[in-house]
Amino acid sequence: MCILLTMIPRFSAMGSGILFSYPQLATLAGLQGVIVYAISSACPLLIFAIVAPIIRKKCPEGFVLTEWTRQRYGIITALYLGALTLLTLFLYMLAELSAIGQVIEALTGLDGLPVIIVECIVTTVYTSLGGFKISFITDNIQGAMVCCLIVIAAITVGARTEIKPELIAESGLLNANLVGWQLIYILPVAILTNDFFLANYWLRAFASKTDKDLWIGVSVAMVVILVVLTMVGCTGLIAAWSGAWPGDPPVEDGSVAFFLLLEQLPNWVVGIVIVMAVCLSTAAFDGLQSAMVSSASNDVFRNRLNIWWIRAGVVLVMIPVVILAIKTPSILQIYLISDLLSAATIPVLMLGLSDRFYWWLGFEVLVGGLGGILTVFIFGTIYYGDAQLGGELILLEQGLYTGDWGAFGAFVAAPVGGLLWGFGALAARLTFQFAQSRMQRTRFDALDFPALVPPEDTDALSSEGRDEVANAKVTGKFF
C-alpha cells in the first residue's frame, strides 16, 4: 500500500503551489470553480490505473511513458517527448520555488531567496545520495504533513474566523459564472494531459506490484486529494467572506487569500504553516529533481552517460530556475503553459495505444504536437485580431479569468488542432510514400500491418546475454 501515499501527490507535483492556485481560483470562480478544480485535479489520477497496465503489457521493460514511445514511434519521437517532459519538469520546478519564496515573503516579510537556495542545496544532496527511494520516503512524510496542515487549519479557522453574512451575498461566489462553466472543460483537459508528462507519476505507477494494488492506491489517493484540495480552495471563499481578502488596503491578487486569512490566526499557527509549507515544498521539489535526472538519463542519453554528469546538469538547470522563480509571480500561469503544451501533444500520442491505429507513426505525433501549438497562435490571432496577442495566448499571459473565450479557445485549439495537423501529416506521408513506390516500382506497403517479432528464448541466456538482447531492442518507425 505504499503506492497509496506515493500517488497522493498531485501534491508531489504542485507542492506549496496549491496554497496559491486553489484559493486564487476560489476568489475568481467561486464555489463552482473550487469544486471543478478539485475534481479535475483528483480524477485524472485514474488514467494511470487504466493506461499503465496497457503500457506495461506492450512494453514490459519500460518504466516511464517515453520508453513505450520509443518502442512504438521511434527514437525521434521519443526524444521529442523526452524534451517536453524535461520542459514540463522545469516549469514545475520553477513554480515550486516561486511558490515557496512567496510563502516566506507573505508570512514573514523576509526575502524568500535564501530559503529557495537552501532548499535547492538540501534536496540536491539527499537525492544524489538516495535517488528516487528517498523521494518515496519524503512523499510519505509529505502526505502526513498535508493531513496535519489541513487539520490544524480547519480547527483554527473554524474557531477564530468570523464569517460576515452580508459579504457572502455581496461576493457572488456562490453564483455560477462564465469562468466556472469554462473550467468544466479547460481543467480536465489541461490536468489530464499534463499528468502524462510527469515522469514521477509514471515511476510510481510502474512501482506497483500488481494492477490491483495500483487501482486501490490510485482510487484512495484520488478521494484524499479531492477532499484536501476542496478544503484548501475553500480558504479563498472564507477569506472573502470574512473580509480578510481583499483586505484594507485592498489586494486584488486572489493568490494571497490563504495568507491574508492566516494573518487573523495566532502566530503559532502561522509558524506551523511555515514549517509544513517548507516540508511540502521540499518533498515536491526532490521528486521533480529525481524525475528530471531519471528522464534525462533514460530518455535522452539511454543510460550511457554517467549518472553524476546528469546530476551535475540538473544542478546547472537550477540556476536559471532560481533566477526565474524570484521574478515569476503567477504560479497558476506556469502550470497553464505546461498544460497547453501537453493538451497539444498527448491526444496524438495516445492514438498509438490502439492496435487499430497501427499506421499512425512518429511523424504524425511530432507534426500534430507542434501543429497544435501553432493552431493556438492562429486562433488567438484571429480571435483578438492581433498577432502579438495570439502569441501571448500560447503563454496565457492574460490567465484564465479575462471574461472572454480566449483561454477556452486555446484549450480547444490545442488538442483539436493537434489531431487535424496529425491527420494532415498522415495524408502527406502516405502521398509521398505512394509516389515513391510508383517511381521505384515497388509495392506500396505503408498501410501493411507491422510484422510481429516473436520474443527470444531468454531462459537459456546468461545475465550478460539478456542485457545484450535488451539493448538490441528494435524501436518503432518515425516515417
Side-chain angles (χ1 to χ4, degrees), residues 221-350:
M222 181 190 70
V223 174
V224 173
I225 290 174
L226 179 62
V227 172
V228 171
L229 295 184
T230 300
M231 295 181 69
V232 172
C234 284
T235 60
L237 302 177
I238 297 173
W241 295 339
S242 65
W245 180 85
D248 185 21
V251 178
E252 296 298 329
D253 186 4
S255 65
V256 298
F258 176 79
F259 304 100
L260 293 176
L261 183 62
L262 284 181
E263 290 180 357
Q264 300 183 348
L265 303 180
N267 291 333
W268 65 268
V269 176
V270 176
I272 291 176
V273 170
I274 292 174
V275 172
M276 290 186 176
V278 171
C279 293
L280 186 66
S281 177
T282 302
F285 195 72
D286 70 42
L288 296 170
Q289 278 183 300
S290 297
M292 181 171 282
V293 170
S294 174
S295 295
S297 178
N298 183 73
D299 303 343
V300 179
F301 297 102
R302 301 302 295 159
N303 300 314
R304 294 187 177 94
L305 187 64
N306 187 287
I307 191 66
W308 288 103
W309 286 109
I310 304 292
R311 295 189 187 281
V314 173
V315 171
L316 293 178
V317 167
M318 283 193 288
I319 296 175
V321 170
V322 171
I323 294 173
L324 292 173
I326 60 179
K327 297 180 179 181
T328 307
S330 178
I331 310 302
L332 194 56
Q333 183 187 353
I334 298 174
Y335 293 139
L336 291 173
I337 294 171
S338 175
D339 293 341
L340 198 59
L341 290 172
S342 60
T345 302
I346 293 303
V348 291
L349 181 74
M350 287 296 104

Side-chain angles (χ1 to χ4, degrees), residues 6 10 19 45 68 94 99 110 125 129 169 224 230 232 255 287 294 303 311 366 389 403 417 421 434 440:
T6 57
R10 184 101 195 133
L19 304 180
L45 285 179
W68 168 77
L94 171 59
L110 301 176
V125 170
L129 297 175
V224 173
T230 300
V232 172
S255 65
S294 174
N303 300 314
R311 295 189 187 281
L366 181 60
L389 292 178
W421 279 93
F434 179 77
Q440 297 176 353

Side-chain angles (χ1 to χ4, degrees), residues 76-77 80-81 345 348 361-372 425 478:
I76 295 176
T77 310
Y80 165 68
L81 183 65
T345 302
V348 291
L361 301 184
F363 178 68
E364 289 86 80
V365 175
L366 181 60
V367 173
L370 297 176
F478 174 75

